[in-house]
Amino acid sequence: MTDDRDPSATPRRAFLAGTVGTALVGTAAGAVGDDDNAGENGRKHCNSCNGQRSGADTRLPTAHDLTMDDGHRLRVWERTTVDEPEEAVIFVHGSTYGAVSMFDPPLGDEFGWLPSAAAQGQATFAPDMRGYGHSEPPAEYDEPPEANAPPLSFEREALDILEVTRWLRDERGFDRVHYVSLSGGTWRGRAVYEVGDPDYATVTLAGGSFGTLEIGADPEGPAYATQERSGFIERWNAELPEGADRDYWIGGAEYTADEVQAAVWKAIYETNQAIDDGEASETSREGSETADEETIIAPLVRQESEYHPRQIDDPTLVIRASSDGIISREGALNLYDAVGATDDRKRYVEIAGGTHFIFLERERREFFDAVRQFQTRY
């Protein structure tokens, strides 16, 4: 079940349909699955791909393909650097962008959150949720967005995360598992606790809120949104404080802002989310546009329940960057207050000098360290 395709040869959609836009935080989802050899119980997992790299890019983490109970294939990335790690961390990305781009982009061997956590002895695992990255898109994504309703829900994503958790415990042997989530991943975490009892060692909700954002796609459609490369860059840059030095704010003393953003976009685009290889479609559908730059599918997800944070009763860290332009301080504090963990088992932290993408910016190490310090308390 190992996916050994060259990322540069990843199939692109044959069209670009609908209005180009960015999915709101917390509104993403997608799909998986072209495993022709799934087991009879629908849960055959790829353990033989341990230690192998996916595709031609040796910078990618180790790839595992897990088949969910409904037959969909989920790509899970792993970085582990010690022989016998005592604990695992599930890193869950947010809306629009997949796991490698957010946690392990191709910039430097020690740049991303996966390498940082792995260097401290943790086994790190980051699934591409359905419709993201190298997990196979749902069939609805082969049609114009207006042709279908959003195919997935937070509940379906939560079931997938619970299955990844089961795999880590039952098949990989980890008794102690942490949950770390970004942005839309914090909504996924709430759904996980609504539909199951994951019993995580700790939970980190980074860039999440409660009661201040309208979450969830229109259940009537469209099935997905789209985003161009320029929209990705503009969204990120718009969060920088007025007068801030863009290169220093994002890249610090190590990189330029362009180097960071180019590496992150590369990891986003060289996946199953890409449309048309960035070239204009030869045939546009009625009511659609053609692409004049690199464009991706931005998955959308239905929210079928409130998924209240009170269900999260394991030790919980709510963490926010001070210049986050998407998640307000009010929303983040609301989330902290609403989490069900007792006061002695939860904490609120705010890191100065970062945007919603702080984990990819110059203050990322302080951000990572705050999470690690919380994990070691429990």
Side-chain angles (χ1 to χ4, degrees), residues 57 59-61 77 79 91-107 111-115 126-129 132-134 182 227 232 235-236 259-271 273 296-297 357-361 364 368:
D57 187 352
R59 175 60 176 75
L60 286 172
W77 301 100
R79 257 198 211 287
F91 288 86
V92 180
H93 62 76
S95 303
T96 313
Y97 317 120
V100 173
S101 62
M102 296 295 98
F103 298 117
D104 204 345
L107 187 58
F111 179 82
W113 204 344
L114 293 194
D128 279 328
M129 302 306 296
Y132 295 83
H134 292 263
L182 299 174
Q227 187 180 84
F232 160 73
R235 173 189 178 187
W236 190 340
E259 287 173 335
V260 174
Q261 292 175 338
V264 175
W265 178 258
K266 174 183 173 68
I268 295 168
Y269 188 68
E270 292 186 350
T271 70
Q273 286 181 253
I296 62 165
I297 283 177
F357 295 94
I358 187 172
F359 48 91
L360 297 167
E361 298 173 342
R364 63 190 180 277
F368 301 162

Side-chain angles (χ1 to χ4, degrees), residues 335-347:
L335 178 60
Y336 168 79
D337 289 336
V339 164
T342 57
D343 287 347
D344 63 331
R345 285 160 54 90
K346 64 180 180 179
R347 187 181 185 195

Side-chain angles (χ1 to χ4, degrees), residues 293-354:
E293 63 172 300
E294 293 178 345
T295 306
I296 62 165
I297 283 177
L300 299 175
V301 62
R302 305 183 312 274
Q303 177 166 285
E304 298 176 337
S305 175
E306 182 183 21
Y307 306 119
H308 199 285
R310 72 168 70 94
Q311 306 292 342
I312 304 176
D313 55 2
D314 292 320
T316 302
L317 171 66
V318 176
I319 185 168
R320 174 184 179 269
S322 63
S323 294
D324 192 323
I326 296 176
I327 301 300
S328 67
R329 179 174 293 150
E330 175 190 6
L333 286 170
N334 285 350
L335 178 60
Y336 168 79
D337 289 336
V339 164
T342 57
D343 287 347
D344 63 331
R345 285 160 54 90
K346 64 180 180 179
R347 187 181 185 195
Y348 177 83
V349 172
E350 191 159 310
I351 305 295

Side-chain angles (χ1 to χ4, degrees), residues 129-190:
M129 302 306 296
R130 299 184 179 213
Y132 295 83
H134 292 263
S135 291
E136 186 178 346
E140 289 85 350
Y141 289 9
D142 286 328
E143 299 184 76
E146 296 82 2
N148 297 285
L152 297 172
S153 67
F154 281 121
E155 182 169 329
R156 178 63 257 183
E157 293 185 319
L159 293 172
D160 292 344
I161 293 169
L162 286 168
E163 174 60 8
V164 173
T165 304
R166 186 206 65 79
W167 173 72
L168 288 175
R169 289 197 169 115
D170 295 352
E171 299 185 33
R172 297 299 301 272
F174 291 104
D175 294 326
R176 182 173 166 84
V177 180
H178 301 277
Y179 182 89
V180 172
S181 58
L182 299 174
S183 190
T186 68
W187 276 267
R188 294 181 179 113
R190 286 154 54 174

Side-chain angles (χ1 to χ4, degrees), residues 68-111:
M68 300 294 101
D69 60 339
D70 60 355
H72 284 294
R73 177 183 57 79
L74 205 71
R75 172 61 56 85
V76 179
W77 301 100
E78 176 187 359
R79 257 198 211 287
T80 303
T81 60
V82 298
D83 290 336
E84 297 183 3
E86 296 183 354
E87 61 182 15
V89 187
I90 298 176
F91 288 86
V92 180
H93 62 76
S95 303
T96 313
Y97 317 120
V100 173
S101 62
M102 296 295 98
F103 298 117
D104 204 345
L107 187 58
D109 289 341
E110 300 178 357
F111 179 82

